[in-house]
Amino acid sequence: MKKILTASAAILMMALTMPAQAEMDIDKLKGVTPTAENHPLAKIISGYEFRNKETQMLQDDDFDNPAYIWVDAGEELWSTEDGAAGKSCAECHGDASDSMKGVKASYPKWNDAKGRPLTLQQQVNDCRTERMQAEEWGWESDEMLGMAAYVASQSRGMPVAVKTDGQMTPWFEKGKDIYYTRVGQLDMSCANCHEDNYGKNIRADMLSQGQINGFPTYRLKWQKLGSVHRRFKGCMKNIRAKPYGVGSDEFVALELYVAWRGQNLPVESPAVRQ
Amino acid sequence: MAKSKPRVKVPKTAAVGEVITIKTLISHKMESGLRKGKDGNLVPRQIINRFTAEFEGQQIFAVDIDPAISANPFLEFTMKVPGPGEFTFTWVDDDGSVYTKKSKLKIG
Amino acid sequence: MKLNRRQALALGAGALFVTLTPFRGGALASTADEEIKAFTGGATVMEDDIVSLTAPEIAENGNTVPIGVSVDSPMTSDNYVRRVRILADGNPRAAVATMHFSPLSGSAEANTRMRLAKTQNIIAIAELSDGTYHMAKAAVKVTIGGCGG
């Protein structure tokens, strides 16, 4: 059985490494240089650069960008009272364009009270349950997506800069381990596509570096906005691996590590991808 | 989205005779009726089937929409400004719901 | 007159056939040719430069494909574009949209986003106020991605 699986992975790898019709000239793509010494990439490139002109144009205009449906919804929710405490986000956090600046750029972030890092969604739910006495929002619910899009958009243009040292180290190491471990029937790791073969076609899809500086993202395929963890799940399903759950420790660790890989990239949330 | 939300981009002021660009978008799944749900059965059709743009009560542009239009239908079109007035944009859902958005235009 | 069984059956079958024949332009018009006929009423359609269609050469995802249609017309009250029918000849149903313009439009131009099930042609047919029909076609490649596509 293992021979067959390895063989199919090998065929897939051949498909990746064979000269593709529309291989991108990496040198021509815009990118940033990493700050970290041990960073595996010489040039960090946003997923935007790997998409075709029509897809890029959807992101370039805030009205044309369908993700703004969710940003608008998030903006409304921001000032809406919810929960037994009768509070809205605005009551504590004031103007989001002030208080939420830099949030997306620095998350997942360490939370002392919880003794672990939290993603943006986990922080929102933490505020909701502990301070607003409101119910948690589902990870992929329109409310959570709206709030995540609204908050993340306040960091637009800022460089991604997550803290990965000190108490974050074990989470960072775990995320790195997941990134490089082969899983699933196709026996592939994130690195096989996003580090070894970005700029090449996998069948007819142009592989990017798998950066997450644009999440939550409107994917043309989903015809809606979606979270990083949803995308992680999709990738794992594609290599026939059993995906981790949204909000799982594995995905939090992976999100931290992948955010680190995208350091210095400008936040593009909410982005448009294929 | 539980409730469809319309968004509209119209200039606030324009000159008489100027051809202005209007963009509209409404959040809607546009369920085509051809998709199979998790239970293996076809999910019934539910789309926005008609869009109308009126200016001062006169229809400038309208679309009869079929299920092949993508979710969150986006429509961009133009109008030759006849004078100041108010736009009324209307979207009609298969289930009978009607969504409306108005926008005022000044001459300047 | 007295019908024998054969004649009675033939008459009955004929009547059944007439009632079952679909209306032109009704629910059963689903191929591009049927839709074109329903739209034009069978009139001649000229394939010329009057209509232009903008669509990507390759659609990154068939679920959301941005397209634009533009019809060369002065858009005056006696010379304007009445309607434009958009069709996709490879979709399960060819119908995409019917756009209604007016002299107040200023230009017969519109952009939207559509679904393409596979590689095919997008077709736009314009009906002018003089009763003539003009068509343009655009071929769009729709790919199946290798990862999440």
Side-chain angles (χ1 to χ4, degrees):
Chain A
M1 188 59 168
K2 194 161 182 209
K3 261 199 199 141
I4 298 167
L5 290 178
T6 323
S8 34
I11 291 167
L12 202 63
M13 289 308 296
M14 267 173 64
L16 288 175
T17 51
M18 273 185 177
Q21 277 177 310
E23 199 167 314
M24 288 196 118
D25 186 350
I26 301 298
D27 294 333
K28 291 215 169 84
L29 300 180
K30 260 172 62 184
V32 298
T33 40
T35 312
E37 268 174 33
N38 54 345
H39 200 283
L41 302 165
K43 182 161 87 167
I44 303 173
I45 307 166
S46 167
Y48 177 88
E49 299 293 324
F50 294 94
R51 307 278 51 98
N52 72 15
K53 179 174 55 87
E54 288 81 11
T55 307
Q56 292 177 336
M57 281 169 71
L58 287 183
Q59 182 178 313
D60 291 342
D61 182 285
D62 283 355
F63 190 90
D64 291 7
N65 185 341
Y68 270 77
I69 295 169
W70 281 268
V71 175
D72 280 357
E75 188 172 13
E76 224 179 278
L77 287 167
W78 181 264
S79 344
T80 307
E81 275 175 23
D82 199 6
K87 288 187 184 158
S88 69
C89 318
E91 247 164 87
C92 292
H93 295 289
D95 190 344
S97 57
D98 257 329
S99 58
M100 295 295 112
K101 220 169 144 63
V103 166
K104 156 69 186 174
S106 59
Y107 265 68
K109 201 176 196 179
W110 185 262
N111 185 295
D112 264 329
K114 292 263 179 308
R116 53 160 293 152
L118 295 182
T119 69
L120 215 156
Q121 291 85 348
Q122 289 170 327
Q123 182 62 68
V124 168
N125 274 339
D126 184 61
C127 276
R128 285 183 61 78
T129 52
E130 313 234 328
R131 282 169 276 288
M132 289 166 75
Q133 279 149 56
E135 281 189 26
E136 273 195 3
W137 278 336
W139 200 274
E140 220 65 35
S141 65
D142 280 327
E143 290 86 355
M144 183 58 90
L145 288 169
M147 186 55 68
Y150 179 58
V151 171
S153 68
Q154 307 304 331
S155 288
R156 207 153 55 145
M158 292 178 71
V160 171
V162 288
K163 196 169 147 62
T164 56
D165 58 3
Q167 290 166 308
M168 292 290 249
T169 309
W171 290 84
F172 174 78
E173 293 298 330
K174 181 177 189 162
K176 182 170 164 190
D177 188 52
I178 293 173
Y179 195 87
Y180 286 102
T181 303
R182 288 173 179 268
V183 290
Q185 282 189 322
L186 294 186
D187 199 38
M188 291 173 75
S189 72
C190 316
N192 290 144
C193 283
H194 295 298
E195 186 170 301
D196 304 334
N197 287 292
Y198 63 87
K200 301 201 185 100
N201 276 312
I202 181 166
R203 291 174 76 191
D205 209 13
M206 170 53 68
L207 282 173
S208 70
Q209 286 184 349
Q211 304 293 356
I212 55 175
N213 58 314
F215 276 86
T217 283
Y218 189 93
R219 286 197 77 211
L220 303 183
K221 179 193 177 181
W222 296 333
Q223 290 176 86
K224 69 180 287 199
L225 198 76
S227 69
V228 177
H229 292 198
R230 177 180 178 177
R231 190 67 187 96
F232 284 169
K233 275 175 72 177
C235 276
M236 290 188 79
K237 283 191 212 162
N238 278 118
I239 57 171
R240 301 292 185 266
K242 188 162 176 220
Y244 302 114
V246 295
S248 63
D249 286 355
E250 289 88 355
F251 275 170
V252 175
L254 185 61
E255 184 179 338
L256 174 68
Y257 178 70
V258 177
W260 174 85
R261 286 180 74 90
Q263 59 191 250
N264 300 334
L265 278 177
V267 170
E268 287 175 32
S269 314
V272 178
R273 301 284 185 262
Q274 84 289 16
Chain B
M1 289 274 143
K3 189 174 176 222
S4 283
K5 288 232 156 98
R7 302 182 79 225
V8 162
K9 186 172 180 184
V10 189
K12 290 218 160 60
T13 51
V16 174
E18 188 183 340
V19 177
I20 58 170
T21 301
I22 299 155
K23 292 186 188 184
T24 70
L25 196 149
I26 186 166
S27 59
H28 198 284
K29 269 190 95 180
M30 297 295 280
E31 199 61 76
S32 68
L34 295 171
R35 193 177 68 92
K36 282 209 180 122
K38 285 195 174 129
D39 59 359
N41 296 323
L42 282 177
V43 180
R45 166 186 151 146
Q46 191 180 341
I47 67 166
I48 296 286
N49 60 55
R50 175 112 172 138
F51 166 80
T52 316
E54 284 179 348
F55 187 72
E56 288 295 291
Q58 236 198 318
Q59 181 175 301
I60 356 154
F61 178 73
V63 187
D64 296 317
I65 301 172
D66 299 299
I69 291 292
S70 302
N72 308 314
F74 171 85
L75 288 165
E76 182 178 352
F77 51 95
T78 60
M79 181 184 82
K80 189 167 183 181
V81 179
E86 189 178 61
F87 286 99
T88 307
F89 303 103
T90 314
W91 292 260
V92 179
D93 192 311
D94 276 346
D95 71 4
S97 311
V98 179
Y99 304 99
T100 313
K101 191 129 176 123
K102 290 188 195 273
S103 187
K104 287 201 164 75
L105 179 71
K106 287 197 189 123
I107 302 298
Chain C
M1 73 191 184
K2 201 160 180 248
L3 296 168
N4 66 26
R5 255 183 65 205
R6 197 169 284 174
Q7 289 166 320
L9 275 173
L11 262 183
L16 206 63
F17 178 78
V18 167
T19 51
L20 282 184
T21 307
F23 297 111
R24 261 226 327 242
L28 294 177
S30 61
T31 67
D33 283 336
E34 285 166 347
E35 289 286 353
I36 294 171
K37 254 212 193 109
F39 184 68
T40 64
T44 322
V45 181
M46 288 171 263
E47 215 166 323
D48 49 30
D49 296 328
I50 296 192
V51 184
S52 33
L53 255 179
T54 316
E57 210 183 294
I58 303 175
E60 280 210 294
N61 192 285
N63 280 343
T64 313
V65 184
I67 60 160
V69 67
S70 175
V71 186
D72 188 7
S73 162
M75 296 303 276
T76 60
S77 50
D78 32 46
N79 186 359
Y80 64 100
V81 176
R82 281 207 288 247
R83 305 180 294 166
V84 177
R85 186 82 170 105
I86 315 256
L87 304 168
D89 68 7
N91 270 357
R93 299 194 208 111
V96 180
T98 306
M99 296 175 169
H100 302 260
F101 294 90
S102 71
L104 249 189
S105 295
S107 77
E109 272 176 45
N111 292 323
T112 188
R113 295 163 194 167
M114 61 171 289
R115 295 166 167 155
L116 289 172
K118 58 179 190 177
T119 295
Q120 59 188 292
N121 295 305
I122 305 174
I123 302 166
I125 305 149
E127 176 187 78
L128 306 189
S129 51
D130 64 5
T132 58
Y133 293 89
H134 306 262
M135 175 164 85
K137 269 189 198 175
V140 181
K141 288 195 189 70
V142 177
T143 60
I144 298 175
C147 197

